[in-house]
Amino acid sequence: MLERCLVVDDHEMIRETIAIMATSLGFKECIMAVDGADAISKLYHSRPSLIITDLQMEPIDGLEMLRLIRSGRYGLPHDIPIIILTANASESVIAQCISFDVDAFLVKPVNRLSLQERINQLSQQAKPKKTVEHYFSMYQQDPAKSTAFQVNGTVAFNDEDLKEFDMLIHGQKPDPVMTSSASFVPKSSEPQFVPKNEDNRKRFIKWQDRFTVGNEELDASNKELLNIINDTYDLIVNHEEGAVFEDISKRFQHYINQHIFREESLLEEHGYARLKVHRDIHARLLKQADFVVLKCQADPSFYKTDFFRLLRFWWVKHVVQEDTQYKSTLSQGG
């Protein structure tokens, strides 16, 4: 991984600064390119092990370069890890980058610590790539830009769904005449949404006995997810910004990795009849989570919208409505 790094940016100072950072983090050599066209030539001849590229360049920008590389054009190694630098990128451009399996985003201005975190992330868990044919087919179709929260072209949930989730979370019946709202954060004037815990922080959800899945270990794991939701909510209502959300995101990813593995192992051990269905649901949720986490890397403002939506969706549609179905199975086996 740390053999040779290609840094692409049309600003000389930025690319030289990033190259110095990358060298200090262990890369044996850093090559620099002034735009996407120059980068493709350098990639072809020098075969770097990582590309760090800006988005906005002429004549070939970072998105087009990503599309060309993943499509295997000009004999390029299509599965090379790529980190894209963002600054005010549109949601549609971010979505297109994700569809071509960008490995990570990094918000400008870049500092050494954030760059190190992204490199460590890729070293520990490389993002799997699809076939050249898959990307080439996408490149030929040149799909329309999308600004919706989507998974495989399907909108996962809308504003009315979110209001229903909130009602279900708090044990209330959804109001059939309730209209959609542009706000995804309950107002502080609505006390049912803002109970306070011992340290006076605002909480979005309280643990209730009806949330149990019949296993103490899995319940403890789901309580951590509930803490993640509440901590995210607290950051939002207190108007926090930027890096503080990254720690929440890391906790969520840790929850996903630990919880899903343990849950599927237990369900298989107890012969759960819906295990295949449950695994398929997990696979879809993991795709949603990957999509949202990458969007938040590209633009941290999405932590307050898409990330918080995902947490609520995961809790209600999966933990409360799906996971509780195996309670009797685990209880009988215990």
PDB file of all heavy atoms in Angstrom, residues 70 78-82 100-103 126-131 135:
ATOM      1  N   ARG A  70     -11.866   3.081 -13.172  1.00  0.00           N
ATOM      2  CA  ARG A  70     -12.688   1.918 -12.815  1.00  0.00           C
ATOM      3  C   ARG A  70     -13.163   1.162 -14.058  1.00  0.00           C
ATOM      4  O   ARG A  70     -13.367  -0.058 -14.016  1.00  0.00           O
ATOM      5  CB  ARG A  70     -13.888   2.364 -11.985  1.00  0.00           C
ATOM      6  CG  ARG A  70     -13.535   2.878 -10.598  1.00  0.00           C
ATOM      7  CD  ARG A  70     -13.122   1.741  -9.684  1.00  0.00           C
ATOM      8  NE  ARG A  70     -12.871   2.227  -8.328  1.00  0.00           N
ATOM      9  CZ  ARG A  70     -11.662   2.399  -7.805  1.00  0.00           C
ATOM     10  NH1 ARG A  70     -10.584   2.103  -8.527  1.00  0.00           N
ATOM     11  NH2 ARG A  70     -11.517   2.845  -6.574  1.00  0.00           N
ATOM     12  N   HIS A  78      -7.836  -1.053 -12.680  1.00  0.00           N
ATOM     13  CA  HIS A  78      -9.141  -0.499 -12.322  1.00  0.00           C
ATOM     14  C   HIS A  78      -9.428  -0.547 -10.825  1.00  0.00           C
ATOM     15  O   HIS A  78     -10.308   0.171 -10.342  1.00  0.00           O
ATOM     16  CB  HIS A  78     -10.243  -1.245 -13.091  1.00  0.00           C
ATOM     17  CG  HIS A  78     -10.770  -2.456 -12.399  1.00  0.00           C
ATOM     18  ND1 HIS A  78     -10.047  -3.624 -12.296  1.00  0.00           N
ATOM     19  CD2 HIS A  78     -11.954  -2.678 -11.747  1.00  0.00           C
ATOM     20  CE1 HIS A  78     -10.755  -4.512 -11.637  1.00  0.00           C
ATOM     21  NE2 HIS A  78     -11.912  -3.973 -11.287  1.00  0.00           N
ATOM     22  N   ASP A  79      -8.710  -1.378 -10.073  1.00  0.00           N
ATOM     23  CA  ASP A  79      -9.037  -1.555  -8.652  1.00  0.00           C
ATOM     24  C   ASP A  79      -8.126  -0.773  -7.708  1.00  0.00           C
ATOM     25  O   ASP A  79      -8.127  -1.009  -6.502  1.00  0.00           O
ATOM     26  CB  ASP A  79      -8.990  -3.039  -8.286  1.00  0.00           C
ATOM     27  CG  ASP A  79      -7.637  -3.679  -8.588  1.00  0.00           C
ATOM     28  OD1 ASP A  79      -6.790  -3.020  -9.234  1.00  0.00           O
ATOM     29  OD2 ASP A  79      -7.434  -4.844  -8.188  1.00  0.00           O
ATOM     30  N   ILE A  80      -7.357   0.157  -8.227  1.00  0.00           N
ATOM     31  CA  ILE A  80      -6.459   0.935  -7.385  1.00  0.00           C
ATOM     32  C   ILE A  80      -7.247   1.759  -6.369  1.00  0.00           C
ATOM     33  O   ILE A  80      -8.291   2.343  -6.707  1.00  0.00           O
ATOM     34  CB  ILE A  80      -5.550   1.850  -8.249  1.00  0.00           C
ATOM     35  CG1 ILE A  80      -4.546   2.597  -7.364  1.00  0.00           C
ATOM     36  CG2 ILE A  80      -6.380   2.826  -9.064  1.00  0.00           C
ATOM     37  CD1 ILE A  80      -3.494   3.347  -8.155  1.00  0.00           C
ATOM     38  N   PRO A  81      -6.818   1.828  -5.102  1.00  0.00           N
ATOM     39  CA  PRO A  81      -7.507   2.666  -4.118  1.00  0.00           C
ATOM     40  C   PRO A  81      -7.430   4.152  -4.503  1.00  0.00           C
ATOM     41  O   PRO A  81      -6.374   4.634  -4.917  1.00  0.00           O
ATOM     42  CB  PRO A  81      -6.734   2.403  -2.823  1.00  0.00           C
ATOM     43  CG  PRO A  81      -6.058   1.091  -3.034  1.00  0.00           C
ATOM     44  CD  PRO A  81      -5.730   1.041  -4.498  1.00  0.00           C
ATOM     45  N   ILE A  82      -8.561   4.843  -4.358  1.00  0.00           N
ATOM     46  CA  ILE A  82      -8.638   6.262  -4.734  1.00  0.00           C
ATOM     47  C   ILE A  82      -9.312   7.047  -3.613  1.00  0.00           C
ATOM     48  O   ILE A  82     -10.416   6.710  -3.175  1.00  0.00           O
ATOM     49  CB  ILE A  82      -9.415   6.453  -6.044  1.00  0.00           C
ATOM     50  CG1 ILE A  82      -8.722   5.721  -7.201  1.00  0.00           C
ATOM     51  CG2 ILE A  82      -9.564   7.944  -6.371  1.00  0.00           C
ATOM     52  CD1 ILE A  82      -9.495   5.753  -8.505  1.00  0.00           C
ATOM     53  N   PHE A 100     -19.106   4.596  -8.433  1.00  0.00           N
ATOM     54  CA  PHE A 100     -17.903   4.040  -9.063  1.00  0.00           C
ATOM     55  C   PHE A 100     -16.879   3.608  -8.008  1.00  0.00           C
ATOM     56  O   PHE A 100     -15.695   3.473  -8.301  1.00  0.00           O
ATOM     57  CB  PHE A 100     -17.297   5.055 -10.036  1.00  0.00           C
ATOM     58  CG  PHE A 100     -17.954   5.041 -11.389  1.00  0.00           C
ATOM     59  CD1 PHE A 100     -19.075   5.818 -11.647  1.00  0.00           C
ATOM     60  CD2 PHE A 100     -17.465   4.235 -12.410  1.00  0.00           C
ATOM     61  CE1 PHE A 100     -19.688   5.798 -12.887  1.00  0.00           C
ATOM     62  CE2 PHE A 100     -18.074   4.204 -13.662  1.00  0.00           C
ATOM     63  CZ  PHE A 100     -19.191   4.988 -13.902  1.00  0.00           C
ATOM     64  N   ASP A 101     -17.369   3.366  -6.811  1.00  0.00           N
ATOM     65  CA  ASP A 101     -16.579   2.776  -5.722  1.00  0.00           C
ATOM     66  C   ASP A 101     -15.307   3.543  -5.391  1.00  0.00           C
ATOM     67  O   ASP A 101     -14.218   2.967  -5.312  1.00  0.00           O
ATOM     68  CB  ASP A 101     -16.243   1.310  -6.029  1.00  0.00           C
ATOM     69  CG  ASP A 101     -17.463   0.410  -5.880  1.00  0.00           C
ATOM     70  OD1 ASP A 101     -18.302   0.707  -5.006  1.00  0.00           O
ATOM     71  OD2 ASP A 101     -17.578  -0.567  -6.626  1.00  0.00           O
ATOM     72  N   VAL A 102     -15.463   4.855  -5.182  1.00  0.00           N
ATOM     73  CA  VAL A 102     -14.359   5.602  -4.584  1.00  0.00           C
ATOM     74  C   VAL A 102     -14.093   4.983  -3.210  1.00  0.00           C
ATOM     75  O   VAL A 102     -15.009   4.520  -2.542  1.00  0.00           O
ATOM     76  CB  VAL A 102     -14.709   7.103  -4.453  1.00  0.00           C
ATOM     77  CG1 VAL A 102     -15.882   7.314  -3.515  1.00  0.00           C
ATOM     78  CG2 VAL A 102     -13.515   7.912  -4.006  1.00  0.00           C
ATOM     79  N   ASP A 103     -12.843   4.937  -2.796  1.00  0.00           N
ATOM     80  CA  ASP A 103     -12.503   4.262  -1.539  1.00  0.00           C
ATOM     81  C   ASP A 103     -12.731   5.143  -0.321  1.00  0.00           C
ATOM     82  O   ASP A 103     -13.059   4.641   0.756  1.00  0.00           O
ATOM     83  CB  ASP A 103     -11.047   3.795  -1.590  1.00  0.00           C
ATOM     84  CG  ASP A 103     -10.858   2.675  -2.582  1.00  0.00           C
ATOM     85  OD1 ASP A 103     -10.653   2.951  -3.782  1.00  0.00           O
ATOM     86  OD2 ASP A 103     -10.943   1.506  -2.170  1.00  0.00           O
ATOM     87  N   ALA A 126      -9.620  -2.812   2.679  1.00  0.00           N
ATOM     88  CA  ALA A 126      -9.731  -2.302   1.314  1.00  0.00           C
ATOM     89  C   ALA A 126     -11.155  -2.497   0.802  1.00  0.00           C
ATOM     90  O   ALA A 126     -11.784  -3.531   1.054  1.00  0.00           O
ATOM     91  CB  ALA A 126      -8.745  -3.013   0.403  1.00  0.00           C
ATOM     92  N   LYS A 127     -11.664  -1.508   0.113  1.00  0.00           N
ATOM     93  CA  LYS A 127     -13.024  -1.587  -0.424  1.00  0.00           C
ATOM     94  C   LYS A 127     -13.041  -2.560  -1.602  1.00  0.00           C
ATOM     95  O   LYS A 127     -12.262  -2.402  -2.547  1.00  0.00           O
ATOM     96  CB  LYS A 127     -13.475  -0.201  -0.877  1.00  0.00           C
ATOM     97  CG  LYS A 127     -14.932  -0.128  -1.292  1.00  0.00           C
ATOM     98  CD  LYS A 127     -15.276   1.298  -1.678  1.00  0.00           C
ATOM     99  CE  LYS A 127     -16.727   1.421  -2.110  1.00  0.00           C
ATOM    100  NZ  LYS A 127     -17.663   1.177  -1.017  1.00  0.00           N
ATOM    101  N   PRO A 128     -13.900  -3.581  -1.599  1.00  0.00           N
ATOM    102  CA  PRO A 128     -13.939  -4.531  -2.725  1.00  0.00           C
ATOM    103  C   PRO A 128     -14.399  -3.847  -4.006  1.00  0.00           C
ATOM    104  O   PRO A 128     -15.268  -2.966  -3.974  1.00  0.00           O
ATOM    105  CB  PRO A 128     -14.949  -5.584  -2.256  1.00  0.00           C
ATOM    106  CG  PRO A 128     -15.787  -4.900  -1.225  1.00  0.00           C
ATOM    107  CD  PRO A 128     -14.887  -3.905  -0.550  1.00  0.00           C
ATOM    108  N   LYS A 129     -13.815  -4.239  -5.104  1.00  0.00           N
ATOM    109  CA  LYS A 129     -14.160  -3.655  -6.408  1.00  0.00           C
ATOM    110  C   LYS A 129     -14.904  -4.668  -7.263  1.00  0.00           C
ATOM    111  O   LYS A 129     -14.704  -5.876  -7.153  1.00  0.00           O
ATOM    112  CB  LYS A 129     -12.890  -3.204  -7.140  1.00  0.00           C
ATOM    113  CG  LYS A 129     -12.008  -2.236  -6.348  1.00  0.00           C
ATOM    114  CD  LYS A 129     -12.738  -0.970  -5.991  1.00  0.00           C
ATOM    115  CE  LYS A 129     -11.832   0.062  -5.345  1.00  0.00           C
ATOM    116  NZ  LYS A 129     -11.225  -0.401  -4.067  1.00  0.00           N
ATOM    117  N   LYS A 130     -15.748  -4.156  -8.123  1.00  0.00           N
ATOM    118  CA  LYS A 130     -16.474  -5.008  -9.056  1.00  0.00           C
ATOM    119  C   LYS A 130     -15.629  -5.216 -10.313  1.00  0.00           C
ATOM    120  O   LYS A 130     -14.494  -4.752 -10.395  1.00  0.00           O
ATOM    121  CB  LYS A 130     -17.827  -4.369  -9.389  1.00  0.00           C
ATOM    122  CG  LYS A 130     -18.680  -4.098  -8.155  1.00  0.00           C
ATOM    123  CD  LYS A 130     -19.965  -3.388  -8.507  1.00  0.00           C
ATOM    124  CE  LYS A 130     -20.783  -3.039  -7.271  1.00  0.00           C
ATOM    125  NZ  LYS A 130     -20.127  -2.020  -6.417  1.00  0.00           N
ATOM    126  N   THR A 131     -16.182  -5.889 -11.286  1.00  0.00           N
ATOM    127  CA  THR A 131     -15.424  -6.183 -12.503  1.00  0.00           C
ATOM    128  C   THR A 131     -15.317  -4.943 -13.393  1.00  0.00           C
ATOM    129  O   THR A 131     -16.130  -4.012 -13.299  1.00  0.00           O
ATOM    130  CB  THR A 131     -16.101  -7.299 -13.314  1.00  0.00           C
ATOM    131  OG1 THR A 131     -17.401  -6.838 -13.754  1.00  0.00           O
ATOM    132  CG2 THR A 131     -16.274  -8.558 -12.470  1.00  0.00           C
ATOM    133  N   TYR A 135     -18.184  -1.646 -14.399  1.00  0.00           N
ATOM    134  CA  TYR A 135     -17.959  -0.196 -14.438  1.00  0.00           C
ATOM    135  C   TYR A 135     -18.039   0.344 -15.867  1.00  0.00           C
ATOM    136  O   TYR A 135     -18.537   1.454 -16.088  1.00  0.00           O
ATOM    137  CB  TYR A 135     -16.599   0.138 -13.829  1.00  0.00           C
ATOM    138  CG  TYR A 135     -16.457  -0.237 -12.377  1.00  0.00           C
ATOM    139  CD1 TYR A 135     -15.550  -1.211 -11.980  1.00  0.00           C
ATOM    140  CD2 TYR A 135     -17.235   0.374 -11.396  1.00  0.00           C
ATOM    141  CE1 TYR A 135     -15.412  -1.565 -10.645  1.00  0.00           C
ATOM    142  CE2 TYR A 135     -17.106   0.025 -10.062  1.00  0.00           C
ATOM    143  CZ  TYR A 135     -16.193  -0.953  -9.694  1.00  0.00           C
ATOM    144  OH  TYR A 135     -16.054  -1.302  -8.372  1.00  0.00           O
TER     145      TYR A 135
END
